[in-house]
Amino acid sequence: MDQNDFQIEEPANLRFLRRLVTILTATMILGLLAIFAVLVMRFSTNSGPALPDSITLPDGSEATAFTQGGDWYAIVTAEDTILIYDRTTGELRQTVQIDSRP
């Protein structure tokens, strides 16, 4: 006898389980693709005006730190001064002197 003559029919619960695993696999693949697409769209958008290519600091100032907000960016200098610039125009908005007491 041929081996094809003795095919056993798959039980219904095993068939159901196989379909369930296949559906779960497809759902996970689609979910990962959706997450990847959302991340790509989120990080490819430009949020706000771009920073200038160069920043001119007052004479003798040396930058030690940088931070930015929605419409401003700030530079902390070695002289314990915070220089806050407008992000759109690049003009100096405010200067804050930091008290360097221990």
Side-chain angles (χ1 to χ4, degrees):
M1 286 197 196
D2 218 345
Q3 199 173 27
N4 292 337
D5 293 340
F6 291 110
Q7 286 203 356
I8 301 172
E9 187 175 326
E10 186 176 41
N13 57 354
L14 186 61
R15 190 176 324 120
F16 173 71
L17 183 62
R18 185 172 43 84
R19 288 181 182 155
L20 207 59
V21 169
T22 303
I23 291 170
L24 177 62
T25 303
T27 303
M28 288 178 61
I29 290 171
L30 290 175
L32 284 174
L33 289 174
I35 290 171
F36 180 72
V38 167
L39 287 175
V40 166
M41 287 187 299
R42 173 75 173 122
F43 289 120
S44 67
T45 60
N46 186 6
S47 58
L51 292 175
D53 294 331
S54 64
I55 300 170
T56 305
L57 297 176
D59 290 336
S61 295
E62 179 183 342
T64 58
F66 171 84
T67 189
Q68 59 184 339
D71 63 343
W72 58 269
Y73 58 91
I75 298 176
V76 180
T77 66
E79 296 81 27
D80 292 329
T81 304
I82 301 174
L83 305 171
I84 302 172
Y85 290 89
D86 187 86
R87 196 172 198 180
T88 307
T89 63
E91 293 181 19
L92 182 63
R93 271 194 198 175
Q94 184 178 3
T95 302
V96 179
Q97 186 63 40
I98 302 171
D99 187 14
S100 59
R101 285 185 274 154

